[in-house]
Amino acid sequence: MSMTTPIVDFVRSYAKSGTSRLHMPGHKGQKLLGFEDADITEIKGADELYEAEGIIAESEANATKLFGTAHTYYSTEGSSQCIRAMLCLALQAAPAGQRPVLLAARNAHKALLYAAALLDFDIEWLWPAPEAAGALCSCPVTAGQLEQALERLSGQGRTPFGVYVTSPDYLGGMQDIAALSKVCDAHGAPLLVDNAHGAYLNFLVGGSKHPMALGAAMCCDSGHKTLPVLTGGAYLHLGLKAPVQDETAVRNALALFGSTSPSYLILQSLDRCNRYLSEGYPLRLYSCCGQLTRLRRVLNEAAAAAGSKLSLAVDDPAREPLKLTLDAAALGLTGTALAEALRKYAIECEYADPRYVVLMFTPENPAQDYDRLEEAVAAVCAALPGVPECPEPEGDTFTALAAEAGPVCSVRAAVFAPQQTIPAAEALGRVCAMPTVSCPPAIPIVVSGERVGPAAIELFARYHVETVAVIRE
């Protein structure tokens, strides 16, 4: 059965009514770009996002049913707003009598650091095991690692107000959310998940792999990353384990970090997506995943025919299915060089770094996109000057970064301290102020409040970080 679309219906009715728009926005519905008649503000009947009790509440109820959560809330300012609100809510149940601390996987988006600065809590970092290190975007955490970290904090008399992981990560890796959730439950710490790249995981044929279905207390999804939602459309999901369930408290937390003028274009997009998801989306998603399985096989065959000893398309059933991550080292190239080669064939990637290229597919990609990529990779392979050489392992630098990283001051103190921007190569020994990173992936190499060490300098160069904001001396 198709979902209702109360926000879309209201706005369309208003646009057709001929009402004199003696209210914001200033374009008055006149079509300069073509969509202005659908762009309204919180007029009578349009409900209010942070005090929803009308059409927005009805639409969110539809999303709640689709995702199977205790309550799903809308955001028009991306997962960044949801991350801050999620942490704000978790803090409300933080253990009393101690400085709040969050246990978090190191590959966190910079939105987490901004939340720490605004809400003033500390972060204890979970790092990947040495054998699993090697990419800025990845930080696999096992249940055993999490158990040890929680026991270590407990031995120090510190109880984290939450455990925070990113899953899926930017390269498509996924944490074992079910296993991590069991550890969190045993220690009374809510599991908070940045699921920005995984909104679609709830709709996989064969069973949901969404964090909320696997035991997370709260998580955020960026609808715009993998679903047909306008940029900025996101969800904050609460499960039965969420430390705060009161709707007013949740909306207040979202309002704390959001504009008082939420975009009704984005709200309509989230509203219309409910119907899209209810009308055969799992089967369209299943077909898309199948096409990508075939494409990975074809690309790996092309790389093998060129003499590569590595797989070009990273293929692992534990990874998320919609990301096509290419290991450019399989062709003897850097990720940035392979991305440039693909652009010559009218292919724009999501992300490229010194080793990997990330391509994001959804059921909305036309068939020509698959064919074009297949043809482009075949051409790149044919143009290789010789058999690609296997690269040297890169994990040692990240292991060294973990060893040298340590807080000199709190994130809040660093972010709000007097600061200056200097060349990254000259930052050795200085204390990082604002996280200076590109987006994507918006994952800092050095965190606010940490001193820049030799490994960080090496990684700045590798990831083309040219300047760093440091505390003024």
Side-chain angles (χ1 to χ4, degrees):
M1 180 184 298
S2 294
M3 288 280 180
T4 59
T5 54
I7 304 175
V8 171
D9 295 347
F10 175 86
V11 175
R12 287 180 177 174
S13 177
Y14 184 70
K16 293 177 181 178
S17 70
T19 300
S20 295
R21 298 190 180 205
L22 305 184
H23 56 75
M24 298 181 287
H27 55 63
K28 306 302 181 182
Q30 301 306 306
K31 295 187 177 182
L32 303 176
L33 293 174
F35 53 73
E36 283 82 358
D37 61 339
D39 182 36
I40 65 169
T41 188
E42 294 169 312
I43 58 174
K44 182 176 176 60
D47 208 359
E48 296 184 28
L49 180 57
Y50 302 125
E51 296 182 18
E53 56 184 14
I55 59 175
I56 294 175
E58 181 183 343
S59 184
E60 287 181 338
N62 286 340
T64 298
K65 181 178 180 180
L66 282 165
F67 284 94
T69 63
H71 204 138
T72 290
Y73 297 85
Y74 288 161
S75 162
T76 60
E77 296 174 57
S79 282
S80 294
Q81 181 187 16
C82 296
I83 286 169
R84 296 178 185 119
M86 179 168 64
L87 291 163
C88 180
L89 292 167
L91 264 176
Q92 294 180 23
Q98 58 179 270
R99 181 165 171 77
V101 60
L102 178 74
L103 189 58
R106 180 69 178 201
N107 64 330
H109 189 278
K110 65 180 180 180
L112 171 59
L113 295 184
Y114 294 155
L118 294 170
L119 298 169
D120 195 18
F121 59 82
D122 294 331
I123 306 172
E124 284 285 328
W125 295 107
L126 291 163
W127 294 83
E131 64 273 13
L136 179 64
C137 295
S138 296
C139 184
V141 176
T142 66
Q145 286 175 287
L146 178 57
E147 179 77 40
Q148 290 176 4
L150 286 166
E151 289 179 353
R152 183 181 69 253
L153 284 176
S154 178
Q156 299 169 358
R158 306 166 73 198
T159 301
F161 68 86
V163 172
Y164 182 99
V165 297
T166 300
S167 181
D169 63 36
Y170 227 106
L171 299 182
M174 294 178 67
Q175 304 280 8
D176 188 346
I177 297 297
L180 297 180
S181 173
K182 290 180 180 178
V183 175
C184 288
D185 291 347
H187 286 265
L191 179 60
L192 317 174
V193 182
D194 175 354
N195 183 57
H197 287 247
Y200 74 95
L201 291 172
N202 188 58
F203 306 98
L204 292 171
V205 171
S208 173
K209 292 185 179 180
H210 193 277
M212 300 310 297
L214 300 176
M218 293 186 282
C219 85
C220 66
D221 296 351
S222 289
H224 71 261
K225 285 184 169 64
T226 58
L227 299 178
V229 171
L230 294 180
T231 298
Y235 309 96
L236 175 61
H237 301 294
L238 271 67
L240 296 177
K241 299 177 187 177
V244 176
Q245 296 286 347
D246 180 71
E247 181 174 341
T248 299
V250 178
R251 294 199 187 278
N252 285 343
L254 285 163
L256 183 63
F257 303 104
S259 169
T260 55
S261 299
S263 167
Y264 268 78
L265 293 173
I266 296 173
L267 287 173
Q268 289 172 80
S269 180
L270 288 163
D271 185 46
R272 181 61 180 85
C273 186
N274 290 334
R275 176 174 289 177
Y276 171 86
L277 293 173
S278 72
E279 295 179 334
Y281 174 69
L283 290 179
R284 293 193 295 275
L285 178 61
Y286 180 76
S287 175
C288 179
C289 292
Q291 293 179 76
L292 286 170
T293 297
R294 182 200 69 82
L295 185 56
R296 289 186 185 93
R297 183 181 67 251
V298 169
L299 298 185
N300 284 334
E301 289 172 352
S308 178
K309 296 180 181 179
L310 298 174
S311 294
L312 173 60
V314 181
D315 200 1
D316 183 338
R319 299 173 60 80
E320 63 147 312
L322 287 192
K323 272 202 184 76
L324 180 56
T325 301
L326 304 182
D327 184 355
L331 304 181
L333 302 172
T334 65
T336 50
L338 179 56
E340 282 300 319
L342 294 178
R343 287 188 183 101
K344 296 177 181 178
Y345 296 88
I347 295 170
E348 185 60 40
C349 70
E350 166 63 25
Y351 169 69
D353 69 15
R355 179 155 182 171
Y356 297 101
V357 173
V358 175
L359 306 165
M360 293 177 67
F361 283 79
T362 77
E364 312 315 307
N365 282 97
Q368 71 178 32
D369 290 348
Y370 298 87
D371 296 338
R372 181 176 292 169
L373 179 60
E374 186 177 334
E375 294 167 2
V377 169
V380 171
C381 288
L384 293 176
V387 176
E389 296 183 4
C390 289
E392 294 294 325
E394 298 182 331
D396 289 350
T397 307
F398 287 96
T399 302
L401 180 68
E404 71 186 28
V408 174
C409 63
S410 71
V411 173
R412 180 180 178 86
V415 166
F416 292 108
Q419 54 191 258
Q420 64 184 124
T421 300
I422 64 174
E426 300 174 11
L428 184 65
R430 301 294 295 273
V431 179
C432 178
M434 294 290 288
T436 306
V437 291
S438 62
C439 187
I443 298 170
I445 293 170
V446 180
V447 166
S448 303
E450 290 181 347
R451 196 175 301 280
V452 178
I457 295 293
E458 183 177 336
L459 289 170
F460 287 157
R462 185 183 302 175
Y463 284 88
H464 307 291
V465 175
E466 297 181 354
T467 61
V468 177
V470 297
I471 293 177
R472 187 181 299 275
E473 294 181 342

